[in-house]
Amino acid sequence: MLDKVKQMPTAMISVSAECTDKFYEFNRYGNRWTDFVDKIELLKKSGIKFRFSTAISNLTVFGLTSFIKYFIDQRIGLVFVNQPSMMAPYVLDADSKQQIMHDF
């Protein structure tokens, strides 16, 4: 499939991910972090342009800063989840909000 995508010079793959390690595996249940990293390395080696589409929700926000640091050299587009409302970051408790503010 990558060979086909290479033939489309304006194509860019959008990879949905927001966390690392155990947070990645929690939010992407059934996937392994090491497998994900291997696939990203394959994309890098292929020369195909890609970017991350990163959903910020109350489940993903705790691993987000480590994700951004890990992929600091990559393009990361942010999408804020607000539906269903229980997933929106603003519904977090005060301590969690403080932790997030500290991390950023």
Side-chain angles (χ1 to χ4, degrees), residues 9-77:
T10 60
M12 177 179 287
I13 294 177
S14 184
V15 178
S16 181
E18 12 340 79
C19 301
T20 60
D21 299 311
K22 66 182 180 181
F23 290 114
Y24 171 84
E25 292 177 358
F26 175 80
N27 286 298
R28 305 291 174 164
Y29 183 75
N31 293 326
R32 291 184 29 211
W33 168 248
T34 54
D35 293 341
F36 175 75
V37 171
D38 290 345
K39 289 175 183 166
I40 295 301
E41 287 304 314
L42 182 64
L43 264 180
K44 287 180 180 179
K45 289 177 186 173
S46 75
I48 297 170
K49 295 177 196 165
F50 72 95
R51 73 177 195 106
F52 292 106
S53 179
T54 298
I56 299 175
S57 74
N58 61 10
L59 291 179
T60 62
V61 74
F62 295 100
L64 183 61
T65 54
S66 62
F67 180 82
I68 292 170
K69 288 176 186 175
Y70 191 92
F71 292 110
I72 192 73
D73 61 336
Q74 300 299 316
R75 293 186 62 186
I76 300 175

Side-chain angles (χ1 to χ4, degrees), residues 73-93:
D73 61 336
Q74 300 299 316
R75 293 186 62 186
I76 300 175
L78 302 177
V79 178
F80 292 88
V81 175
N82 59 20
Q83 291 296 322
S85 59
M86 67 181 189
M87 296 295 289
Y90 68 81
V91 300
L92 292 169
D93 63 279

Side-chain angles (χ1 to χ4, degrees), residues 83-103:
Q83 291 296 322
S85 59
M86 67 181 189
M87 296 295 289
Y90 68 81
V91 300
L92 292 169
D93 63 279
D95 291 339
S96 297
K97 287 179 183 177
Q98 286 294 1
Q99 181 63 46
I100 292 163
M101 289 172 53
H102 175 266
D103 289 349

Side-chain angles (χ1 to χ4, degrees), residues 1-9 11 45-48:
M1 187 70 156
L2 292 180
D3 290 334
K4 299 252 185 219
V5 175
K6 284 182 191 179
Q7 296 173 15
M8 300 183 302
K45 289 177 186 173
S46 75
I48 297 170

